[in-house]
Every structure is written in structure tokens, then in C-alpha cells.
């Protein structure tokens, strides 16, 4: 069948008549020109801000905070603005911040996360190393407390082996250095070596005592042995004087 011809009297559509919402073309998709910049080592208590820059018409902004970059939960923060202001920074503010930019049609785009970290205060910075140092000191103190007191075990001997005072004290009183060496347990071979060594500046008695000192372990050395040797040599007065000098208990 033939189509009816249009009525010549019907008015043509007005080209200037506005289109309906459904016929309106979509605005450009939101584009991010500047992502928010991370803020590292910020001082606690100060104010900071994150800024995003985007292109589009009638855009809305929604900021989110999450404790880690890949956390599932996000906390909505701030208002509908290109700038997020954070005042009086605290440790709870640390984390990552993103902004979702939405146009009137519901289309949106999200920024890259910007990280916020706070500067560690001096006491927090050193508290862990300080605990380690304290623990080491405590361990050393315990070990020292448990270590046997060698000096006290030697009946009050407190003179170190390098002290030559006692040797100088007896040099002028004892002529028989060989007998003293024998009483100190020095072998006859060693005493012969002392006697033949003509290059020693020290007296033979002094060299004999030094030889005895070198034979005795440092942690066992004590002048008490020398005093006992003087007793055996019948040098009672000198032995008693040395005993009083070094605080060694006198035993008859």
C-alpha cells in the first residue's frame, strides 16, 4: 500500500528547540591533570594539605584515607573540594590518601594514592636502641656478679702483678736472691740463667721476682706467695712489713 503523504499544513520541527536530557551529548570524561603529592616526614602537630587538579564540568571530589596502600577499608575524610586540609597531624593521620573525582553523570576517576608519614620524635627514634643497650648492660652486670672474685679468694691480696714497690722494698734487705728464687718455685736452670745474664740492668733479685711474676697466671698472682717465701727465709720482719703494707692477713 502506498504511504500517505505528509500533511502540507503540519508545521516542521523547530531546529532551535532545546533537546531533551536524553538527547544531550555527554560531557568530556573527567581527566586528572595533577595527582596529590606524598608528604614524607612531616612534623607532628603541624597542618598539611593534599591538592588534586582535574578537568571537567561540575565535578565533585571525595577524599579517602586508608592505613596501608592495599587496605580493603577506606575512611571518607574532608569535604567536596580539590584540596584536603589536615590539621594538627597525629599518628592516626599516617597512611595513604586518594581522591575520587565524579562528574554529574556518575562517571568517576581516582587519583594515585599519596602517602603521609610523620617524623619520628627523638625519644621514639632512640627508645629501641636504648632498650638494647640497657639489656646488654644488664647482661654484663649479671655475668660480673656471677664471676668468682679471684682477688677476694686470695685472702685480701689487692696488688697487681706489675707493681714493683714490693720488689724495691726487699732489694735492700735480701742478699740471697737464689734462695728466694728457690722458695718461689723457680728451677735451678732458670736461676743459673739469671746469674749468667750480665746485660740485665735490674738486680738479680729483681729479675728473679719478675721471672716468678711471669710464671704465675694474672688471675692467680698475689704478693702473699712472696711473703710466704720471706717467712721461709726467716725474714720475718720484712715479711710482716709487706703484709701490713698490702693488707694481707698475717699468719704465724
Amino acid at each position: 500500500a502506498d504511504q500517505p503523504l505528509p500533511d502540507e499544513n503540519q508545521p516542521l520541527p523547530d531546529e532551535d528547540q532545546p533537546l531533551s536530557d536524553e538527547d544531550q551529548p555527554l560531557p568530556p570524561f573527567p581527566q586528572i591533570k595533577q595527582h596529590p603529592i606524598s608528604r614524607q616526614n612531616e612534623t607532628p602537630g603541624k597542618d598539611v594539605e593534599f591538592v588534586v587538579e582535574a578537568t571537567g564540568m561540575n565535578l565533585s571530589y571525595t577524599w579517602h584515607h586508608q592505613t596501608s596502600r592495599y587496605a580493603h577499608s577506606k575512611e571518607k575524610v574532608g569535604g567536596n573540594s580539590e584540596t584536603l586540609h589536615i590539621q594538627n597531624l597525629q599518628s592516626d593521620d599516617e597512611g595513604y590518601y586518594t581522591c575520587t573525582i565524579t562528574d554529574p553523570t556518575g562517571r568517576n576517576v581516582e587519583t594515585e594514592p599519596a602517602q603521609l608519614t610523620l617524623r619520628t620524635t627523638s625519644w621514639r627514634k632512640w627508645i629501641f636502641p636504648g632498650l638494647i643497650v640497657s639489656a646488654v648492660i644488664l647482661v654484663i652486670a649479671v655475668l660480673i656478679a656471677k664471676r668468682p672474685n679471684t682477688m677476694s679468694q686470695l685472702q685480701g691480696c689487692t696488688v697487681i702483678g706489675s707493681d714493683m714497690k714490693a720488689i724495691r722494698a726487699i732489694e735492700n734487705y735480701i742478699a740471697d736472691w737464689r734462695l728466694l728464687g728457690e722458695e718461689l718455685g723457680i728451677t735451678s736452670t732458670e736461676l743459673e740463667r739469671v746469674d749468667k745474664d750480665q746485660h740485665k740492668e735490674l738486680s738479680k733479685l729483681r729479675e728473679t721476682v719478675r721471672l716468678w711474676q711471669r710464671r704465675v697466671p694474672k688471675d692467680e698472682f698475689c704478693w702473699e706467695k712472696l711473703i710466704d717465701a720471706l717467712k721461709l727465709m726467716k725474714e720475718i720482719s720484712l715479711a710482716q712489713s709487706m703484709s701490713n703494707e698490702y693488707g694481707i692477713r698475717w699468719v704465724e
Side-chain angles (χ1 to χ4, degrees):
D2 296 334
Q3 293 291 335
L5 296 174
D7 188 355
E8 296 180 355
N9 297 323
Q10 184 178 355
L12 295 175
D14 187 359
E15 295 180 357
D16 297 331
Q17 183 177 355
L19 299 176
S20 64
D21 292 339
E22 296 179 356
D23 296 330
Q24 289 285 353
L26 291 176
F29 197 89
Q31 298 290 330
I32 298 175
K33 294 182 61 177
Q34 177 65 53
H35 293 268
I37 300 174
S38 295
R39 307 294 296 266
Q40 307 284 345
N41 296 323
E42 294 291 345
T43 304
K46 70 174 291 186
D47 300 342
V48 299
E49 60 182 26
F50 291 104
V51 179
V52 63
E53 184 178 352
T55 59
M57 299 178 59
N58 300 321
L59 301 177
S60 61
Y61 302 85
T62 305
W63 291 90
H64 293 95
H65 170 240
Q66 55 197 91
T67 55
S68 67
R69 185 164 187 171
Y70 303 105
H72 296 292
S73 60
K74 296 182 179 181
E75 176 189 6
K76 185 176 180 180
V77 293
N80 181 13
S81 172
E82 298 176 346
T83 302
L84 173 65
H85 298 278
I86 305 176
Q87 297 178 331
N88 189 21
L89 284 177
Q90 302 298 323
S91 59
D92 293 342
D93 296 320
E94 289 187 304
Y96 293 84
Y97 291 82
T98 57
C99 181
T100 301
I101 305 166
T102 308
D103 69 6
T105 66
R107 297 178 302 172
N108 61 72
V109 62
E110 187 176 78
T111 64
E112 292 291 332
Q115 186 180 18
L116 171 63
T117 62
L118 300 186
R119 179 181 304 165
T120 304
T121 55
S122 57
W123 68 269
R124 291 178 61 187
K125 179 179 180 181
W126 295 106
I127 187 170
F128 185 69
L131 290 175
I132 294 178
V133 173
S134 300
V136 171
I137 294 175
L138 179 61
V139 170
I140 294 175
V142 171
L143 293 177
I144 293 176
K146 291 183 176 181
R147 180 182 179 182
N149 192 338
T150 304
M151 302 307 291
S152 64
Q153 291 177 354
L154 294 177
Q155 301 182 6
C157 180
T158 58
V159 182
I160 61 175
S162 60
D163 190 354
M164 296 299 296
K165 184 176 181 180
I167 299 176
R168 297 189 183 98
I170 64 176
E171 276 185 312
N172 300 325
Y173 295 93
I174 299 178
D176 194 347
W177 60 270
R178 186 181 295 274
L179 178 59
L180 177 62
E182 293 174 353
E183 296 295 348
L184 291 173
I186 301 175
T187 65
S188 58
T189 302
E190 292 173 315
L191 292 175
E192 287 296 331
R193 189 182 305 116
V194 172
D195 190 23
K196 292 179 180 179
D197 191 351
Q198 301 299 324
H199 303 289
K200 298 290 184 181
E201 294 183 3
L202 298 176
S203 69
K204 293 181 179 180
L205 183 142
R206 183 181 300 187
E207 181 62 24
T208 300
V209 176
R210 289 172 65 89
L211 180 61
W212 165 66
Q213 287 180 287
R214 290 194 293 267
R215 291 166 55 103
V216 179
K218 291 183 179 180
D219 57 348
E220 297 180 6
F221 179 84
C222 182
W223 290 116
E224 190 176 43
K225 175 66 176 177
L226 181 60
I227 294 174
D228 289 342
L230 293 175
K231 290 180 183 178
L232 294 174
M233 296 175 64
K234 307 302 182 182
E235 299 286 350
I236 304 300
S237 178
L238 180 58
Q240 193 166 18
S241 297
M242 289 188 63
S243 178
N244 295 334
E245 176 70 21
Y246 295 114
I248 299 176
R249 184 169 58 89
W250 178 259
V251 179
E252 295 290 348

